[in-house]
Amino acid sequence: MASHKDSCSLNNKVRVRFAPSPTGYLHIGGARTALFNWLFARHHQGEFILRVEDTDSSRSTEEYIDAIIDSMEWLELNWDEGPYRQTDRFSIYKSYVEELLKKGKAYPCYCTPEELDQRRQDALSQGKPPKYSGSCRTIAEPIQGKPATVRFKMPQEGQIVVDDLIKGSVIFENNQLEDFIILRSDGAPTYNFVVVVDDIDMEITHVIRGDDHLNNTPKQIHIYKALGREIPVFAHIPMILGADKARLSKRHGSVSVMAYKEMGYLPDALANYLVRLGWSHGDQEVFTKKELIRYFSLGAVGKSAAVFNPEKLLWLNSQYINKSESRVLAEMVMPFLVRKGIVSEGERLDMEWLSKAIESLQERSRTLIELADSLRYYLLDYVEIDQEAKKKFLSRDMDRLAELKERLSGLALFTAAEIEKVFISMAEKHNIKLGDIAQPARVAITGNTVSPGIFEVMEIVGHEKALKRLSKVVEEA
């Protein structure tokens, strides 16, 4: 068996795989497994394979396959091979079944589902484990005309040790493992068998997956041994829990990757957060992809389950928005502006101007949705004014706003610096605080009491829109 060191491989080339079942959208737990595999491959200059485990024909759909691929592409987890599909490989699985039958490591089983169910019930009533009895092990000749499954012949004595990179040595007693089905009577292979065949054929060196698969591992190791193939290194990642320490599910909030895209999260922020669920590098919280690749090691993955914290993810996303280039954010926020009706489908904006508007809002926005909402007062001709703000700041002194409008209309350069001079001049003339004119203007221009600096906001809003809004407020007073 190969040495179980983080950087070892069976052929001096690390090859890992992410193998989702397309029975639903990509869950964030699955995305974290994909990330760990991807980072491990990139850290060791290895190869990352995408494999779709679609043998469950009753639940697997093309929609889910497309959604998984979309999620992987959004997270920028590029794969080197694939996506392979198990449904394209049935002839390969059958050849391996034949190999096991010839070696005497598997045998036909003619027990009907009804017989098996009755035996399970009998075993339970006698306080025995409800495992298959092995009644067909000794049948010498095929039973003609009776459908058969194929079972793997499990060793009945001794132990199997899973030397796991994260869990350490985990021991399983062979007499607790039953002869499990590897080929159903309809010719469909089963999970524990096909996953081994795929990993053999694809020369997978490290199997990095959730620890809900740990109990499958001894069965799979026995198949490797029966086929005389080298066993990969295993690393089972602890699961992700909700705040109540129960396994993460929909009741804890959104769990699919694309739901977070729709909520305005940045892919790098989500990736950063998911990697940090169970993995650490000192006290560092925010990582670039290059840093994650450089530092990632399975030795730094914790043995305990990680707790998903939506507030921490939101904070991290705000850090990414704050540090992103405004031009990049301008492209990313456009679909949200369209979705909210702030911008029409197909409408072209001056991206340089939009980038400048975004720069004024980055520090205040935690998601792309919040950023889109904040951009509303930059893009619309008129804004809806908050009633409390209107009552507090626009119920009196309309003469000052009218004067402000007149003074601003005469500006040759509508820049923040020139706009500020007008405000200061008016404050001195009327012997009032700057805020006494700035705050009513802020409400008139943005519809609310909180915004970036009002002079900067007015410059970005532009001369024409700013004067329109001031005029509307004065006329309606």
Side-chain angles (χ1 to χ4, degrees):
M1 191 167 180
S3 173
H4 285 193
K5 293 180 180 178
D6 189 24
S7 61
C8 78
S9 68
L10 303 184
N11 55 11
N12 296 320
K13 179 76 168 179
V14 165
R15 284 175 63 84
V16 297
R17 46 71 166 180
F18 176 55
S21 296
T23 56
Y25 298 106
L26 183 60
H27 186 283
I28 56 175
R32 185 186 63 160
T33 299
L35 275 159
F36 279 14
N37 276 279
W38 185 84
L39 288 170
F40 187 81
R42 297 295 173 254
H43 178 81
H44 293 292
Q45 293 83 50
E47 291 167 342
F48 175 63
I49 292 96
L50 178 59
R51 185 171 79 218
V52 179
E53 298 190 336
D54 60 343
T55 54
D56 187 349
S57 58
S58 64
R59 298 172 61 208
S60 299
T61 69
E62 292 297 323
E63 176 191 357
Y64 290 142
I65 292 173
D66 291 343
I68 288 168
I69 290 173
D70 288 346
S71 297
M72 297 282 287
E73 290 177 340
W74 181 66
L75 288 170
E76 297 180 342
L77 300 182
N78 57 308
W79 50 91
D80 302 296
E81 291 181 22
Y84 297 112
R85 294 178 62 162
Q86 288 182 330
T87 48
D88 295 333
R89 296 171 50 79
F90 273 29
S91 60
I92 296 171
Y93 305 138
K94 288 181 180 178
S95 70
Y96 276 87
V97 171
E98 290 300 324
E99 182 178 342
L100 289 174
L101 287 168
K102 287 177 182 177
K103 287 182 173 181
K105 301 293 186 179
Y107 60 91
C109 174
Y110 300 95
C111 300
T112 66
E114 293 76 19
E115 290 170 339
L116 293 171
D117 186 58
Q118 185 59 54
R119 289 174 196 165
R120 276 192 291 269
Q121 297 301 323
D122 292 344
L124 288 170
S125 67
Q126 297 169 28
K128 297 178 181 178
K131 68 172 193 173
Y132 178 65
S133 64
S135 58
C136 291
R137 264 183 175 238
T138 56
I139 296 177
E141 296 295 329
I143 300 176
Q144 300 300 324
K146 191 171 184 181
T149 60
V150 176
R151 287 184 182 270
F152 179 75
K153 188 178 286 186
M154 185 69 67
Q156 296 179 307
E157 297 177 347
Q159 297 174 327
I160 188 76
V161 179
V162 179
D163 192 7
D164 193 271
L165 285 177
I166 296 170
K167 301 289 185 181
S169 293
V170 185
I171 300 172
F172 294 85
E173 299 293 335
N174 286 334
N175 62 13
Q176 299 299 307
L177 304 172
E178 69 175 354
D179 293 354
F180 58 96
I181 294 171
I182 60 174
L183 192 72
R184 299 185 182 92
S185 58
D186 63 359
T190 61
Y191 168 77
N192 276 311
F193 179 65
V194 296
V195 72
V196 171
V197 172
D198 287 340
D199 288 343
I200 289 170
D201 263 25
M202 296 172 192
E203 300 182 328
I204 300 303
T205 63
H206 295 72
V207 174
I208 305 167
R209 59 188 179 189
D211 62 6
D212 53 332
H213 288 285
L214 182 59
N215 286 335
N216 289 323
T217 306
K219 300 175 185 177
Q220 294 168 10
I221 288 176
H222 277 303
I223 295 175
Y224 280 104
K225 289 184 173 182
L227 289 168
R229 304 310 203 275
E230 203 160 0
I231 301 165
V233 181
F234 289 96
H236 289 90
I237 307 162
M239 66 179 63
I240 302 174
L241 304 179
D244 58 359
K245 303 301 174 67
R247 185 168 183 173
L248 195 67
S249 65
K250 289 182 180 178
R251 64 190 177 86
H252 295 106
S254 296
V255 293
S256 79
V257 168
M258 298 311 274
Y260 284 91
K261 178 184 180 183
E262 294 301 308
M263 289 190 291
Y265 285 79
L266 273 58
D268 283 352
L270 182 60
N272 187 157
Y273 180 73
L274 291 178
V275 173
R276 282 286 290 110
L277 282 177
W279 174 86
S280 61
H281 179 76
D283 296 326
Q284 187 171 343
E285 293 285 354
V286 183
F287 296 83
T288 64
K289 276 273 180 66
K290 285 184 179 179
E291 286 175 323
L292 288 174
I293 291 170
R294 185 186 317 139
Y295 299 139
F296 186 78
S297 164
L298 289 172
V301 175
K303 295 183 179 181
S304 302
V307 176
F308 188 82
N309 184 336
E311 290 75 23
K312 183 74 172 289
L313 172 57
L314 190 60
W315 170 82
L316 190 61
N317 200 59
S318 71
Q319 299 300 301
Y320 271 81
I321 288 179
N322 191 19
K323 293 177 181 180
S324 293
E325 292 184 13
S326 57
R327 278 190 166 274
V328 173
L329 290 176
E331 297 291 343
M332 296 177 81
V333 81
M334 279 299 292
F336 294 92
L337 293 171
V338 172
R339 188 200 304 175
K340 287 177 170 291
I342 299 169
V343 171
S344 302
E345 185 78 49
E347 183 178 347
R348 298 179 66 85
L349 295 180
D350 181 335
M351 297 307 279
E352 186 174 340
W353 171 86
L354 183 60
S355 298
K356 185 177 180 181
I358 286 171
E359 284 175 10
S360 73
L361 299 167
Q362 280 177 257
E363 290 186 6
R364 300 165 179 267
S365 302
R366 298 176 299 172
T367 68
L368 292 173
I369 287 179
E370 288 186 4
L371 181 59
D373 281 331
S374 298
L375 285 166
R376 189 182 298 271
Y377 58 73
Y378 284 135
L379 288 159
L380 299 177
D381 285 337
Y382 297 103
V383 294
E384 184 178 341
I385 295 177
D386 177 78
Q387 290 305 303
E388 287 297 316
K390 182 177 183 180
K391 182 179 178 181
K392 185 174 181 179
F393 294 104
L394 300 181
S395 59
R396 62 186 188 282
D397 300 329
M398 285 298 101
D399 288 347
R400 288 179 190 166
L401 279 184
E403 181 184 343
L404 177 65
K405 179 223 162 189
E406 289 304 317
R407 287 192 177 215
L408 291 173
S409 65
L411 282 182
L413 287 175
F414 202 70
T415 63
E418 295 301 313
I419 293 166
E420 184 179 10
K421 289 177 184 177
V422 171
F423 276 76
I424 292 171
S425 173
M426 281 190 62
E428 291 174 349
K429 173 186 173 183
H430 294 285
N431 194 27
I432 57 176
K433 295 177 181 178
L434 191 61
D436 291 338
I437 185 64
Q439 196 64 347
R442 187 190 311 279
V443 173
I445 297 297
T446 70
N448 220 315
T449 57
V450 179
S451 76
I454 187 58
F455 314 128
E456 180 186 9
V457 167
M458 292 181 78
E459 177 184 337
I460 297 170
V461 167
H463 198 188
E464 183 180 352
K465 285 182 182 176
L467 294 182
K468 277 184 179 180
R469 293 179 193 176
L470 288 171
S471 295
K472 187 171 188 289
V473 166
V474 171
E475 290 166 4
E476 293 177 352

